Amino acid sequence: MRSRVSVQVVAAALLALTALPAAAAPAGQTRLRLDFDQVRTLTPGTSVTGSPARASAQVVTDGVGQLRRRPGARGRGVEFPCAGCGRAVLEVGDRSSLDPRSDTFAFGASVRIGPGQATHSMNVMQKGYHDEPGGQYKLQVDQGVPSCVVSGSSGRVLLGSTASIADRAWHRLTCRRTPSGVVLVVDGSVVASSATPTGNLSSAAPVRLGGKDVTSIDNDQLHGRLDDVFVRIDRTG
């Protein structure tokens, strides 16, 4: 009973901290924001301007996969290739400002997936691989079911929902870590939480959106639409 109560307390506290959307984050704490509203082209090599501008993303493809402009959750969004239609990702170069270290941080995006688009492995966003020196943070929708990973010097947390979001509707996904633990929030509700400490998280990896790379056949390619990507870090020192 004590364990169940403590997890509920952690979840309630962390949910309160996720109530504001990324766009409403206090000044100086949003380290990456991409809303795609000003995008004109998504050809390979194109730079997609982010906020701040130094956190812009580059379109990377395998020469077959294409990204397309489509209606987003708000304004415009990006559509990733269908299954079997090649590989394409958006890549934000590594910057120390995107490493949370031991600070409170949150990352997430709005995602729209159809029932026929959900495949076994689909990455929404990630900084680092599972064995990345310095750690990893990652948001995924494998088989249409949201989950997130936060891995650092003290431990690794994997949180998953129990419900698919592959219903052609837009869903807001957020993963947040504080000193109290980690929570996964879907459409404003905590769906999973953990009080496991994760420690310092700082890697030399870029942030990739829509897949882990374009060089391998099994690149965990996202199929569907993406909008309002963010990373927010509350520096304590």
Side-chain angles (χ1 to χ4, degrees), residues 93-109:
D94 173 50
R95 301 188 68 87
S96 61
S97 61
L98 296 172
D99 291 320
R101 304 194 300 247
S102 298
D103 296 320
T104 291
F105 82 111
F107 59 101

Side-chain angles (χ1 to χ4, degrees), residues 129-219:
Y129 299 122
H130 72 280
D131 57 353
E132 191 73 37
Q136 176 197 44
Y137 57 88
K138 177 181 180 182
L139 181 64
Q140 54 202 6
V141 283
D142 297 351
Q143 296 180 322
V145 179
S147 62
C148 72
V149 175
V150 178
S151 179
S153 59
S154 298
R156 180 178 186 270
V157 169
L158 169 61
L159 298 177
S161 176
T162 59
S164 172
I165 60 167
D167 56 5
R168 293 195 183 90
W170 282 99
H171 296 276
R172 185 66 172 167
L173 312 180
T174 300
C175 190
R176 184 172 180 88
R177 181 191 72 177
T178 75
S180 299
V182 182
V183 293
L184 173 62
V185 182
V186 177
D187 297 328
S189 297
V190 172
V191 298
S193 63
S194 172
T196 301
T198 53
N200 188 74
L201 203 174
S202 179
S203 76
V207 173
R208 291 190 175 99
L209 311 176
K212 64 184 181 183
D213 56 43
V214 296
T215 59
S216 57
I217 295 176
D218 183 15
N219 75 316

Side-chain angles (χ1 to χ4, degrees), residues 1-73:
M1 179 64 71
R2 182 178 303 171
S3 174
R4 179 179 299 176
V5 171
S6 65
V7 170
Q8 291 173 340
V9 170
V10 169
L14 292 173
L15 177 58
L17 291 171
T18 62
L20 293 177
Q29 295 183 358
T30 299
R31 312 296 173 168
L32 169 64
R33 184 181 174 218
L34 288 167
D35 60 19
F36 309 108
D37 290 346
Q38 306 305 315
V39 173
R40 293 291 176 264
T41 179
L42 289 166
T43 55
T46 298
S47 181
V48 178
T49 302
S51 177
R54 63 181 179 275
S56 296
Q58 185 177 46
V59 177
V60 183
T61 79
D62 64 349
V64 178
Q66 296 182 43
L67 299 178
R68 303 178 187 278
R69 296 182 72 230
R70 293 288 188 266

